[in-house]
Amino acid sequence: MTDWAQHSKDAFFVVGSIAGLFAFLRPAIESKYQKDLERANALLAKFDENGVMSLDSCTYNSRRIPEAFLLPFDEVRHKISENRQEVRFIGPLKKHLRAELEAMAKAYDSYRHFIQVPEWEPRDLDSNGQYEWLFNKSAFREGVRISDDYAKHLEAATEAAELLKKRFQRFQALTELHFFEVILPKLFVRRKMISAGLDEL
């Protein structure tokens, strides 16, 4: 047998062994991935997607933000701080899912740095305890005039809202990967983010 034939035989043996091992481990790996997918989708289901996607517009244009859009972020942040089961991932994407979730919570903290009293004030919407945050331009009053700092505040808050929106979308994007893609997350996660226009934040 020639060296070439021997090398080919060895290569086929290695490939066959890897394929056999993957076939053996696949049920366990796929089960963990499905559990992570369920947990991730359960978290996403708490959000009003349209509300999240309109946060930048609510901040800069209408200058009124329904508290209902923000509550799910508070809940997720709380679950992370307590390391609840809902945010503990166990499959091949566990590091990516947790990292993106924590990045989203951090982006939310940055956004809420702006959306608070006195620059924004809560106002009741109905008797059920629903309320919204309204921009308080008078908080920027200096004597008899309004400081130009109010515009800078709105721009910075809107930028924070845009980042939060993208962080939310990145977490969403991870749930769209096929099982065979999550086996090689270093390759396919980045490819997914690039295709969704979410690779540069």
Side-chain angles (χ1 to χ4, degrees):
M1 181 179 295
T2 66
D3 289 343
W4 180 86
Q6 182 61 45
H7 288 319
S8 297
K9 181 179 179 182
D10 292 343
F12 280 120
F13 177 77
V14 170
V15 171
S17 298
I18 294 174
L21 181 62
F22 175 74
F24 176 74
L25 295 176
R26 176 178 174 176
I29 297 173
E30 192 165 10
S31 175
K32 290 184 176 182
Y33 170 62
Q34 289 299 327
K35 177 61 68 175
D36 282 352
L37 201 58
E38 291 173 8
R39 289 176 180 172
N41 283 325
L43 291 172
L44 289 171
K46 299 177 183 296
F47 293 85
D48 178 341
E49 183 179 4
N50 291 330
V52 175
M53 300 307 292
S54 66
L55 275 178
D56 51 347
S57 176
C58 289
T59 303
Y60 194 82
N61 295 326
S62 64
R63 302 179 186 180
R64 55 177 57 196
I65 306 161
E67 176 70 4
F69 292 175
L70 306 179
L71 288 177
F73 289 107
D74 283 316
E75 184 178 349
V76 168
R77 182 176 57 182
H78 181 67
K79 291 180 185 298
I80 291 174
S81 68
E82 294 190 344
N83 197 30
R84 295 284 188 89
Q85 186 181 48
E86 298 99 313
V87 298
R88 294 203 306 268
F89 303 104
I90 56 177
L93 271 185
K94 61 182 179 181
K95 291 183 179 179
H96 294 274
L97 286 166
R98 183 60 182 246
E100 290 298 340
L101 199 63
E102 290 180 354
M104 184 174 74
K106 184 177 180 180
Y108 176 64
D109 285 340
S110 297
Y111 180 59
R112 285 312 301 260
H113 171 75
F114 297 101
I115 313 303
Q116 59 179 319
V117 174
E119 293 87 356
W120 295 76
E121 294 184 337
R123 185 185 72 173
D124 291 337
L125 288 176
D126 54 44
S127 59
N128 295 321
Q130 296 292 319
Y131 64 97
E132 62 183 355
W133 289 88
L134 296 180
F135 182 61
N136 178 25
K137 192 174 181 179
S138 63
F140 298 87
R141 182 177 297 280
E142 295 180 351
V144 296
R145 62 181 293 273
I146 300 294
S147 168
D148 291 338
D149 287 344
Y150 89 90
K152 296 177 181 177
H153 172 90
L154 283 174
E155 289 174 0
T158 302
E159 288 179 3
E162 290 171 348
L163 176 61
L164 178 57
K165 181 170 68 173
K166 289 181 179 179
R167 284 297 180 188
F168 175 81
Q169 289 178 297
R170 281 179 66 94
F171 185 73
Q172 269 186 324
L174 290 178
T175 67
E176 298 168 359
L177 291 169
H178 189 275
F179 170 67
F180 289 105
E181 292 176 312
V182 306
I183 300 301
L184 296 171
K186 288 185 178 180
L187 172 62
F188 288 105
V189 168
R190 177 167 172 73
R191 180 179 293 182
K192 177 64 177 178
M193 296 307 174
I194 291 174
S195 68
L198 300 169
D199 56 315
E200 295 183 4
L201 295 182

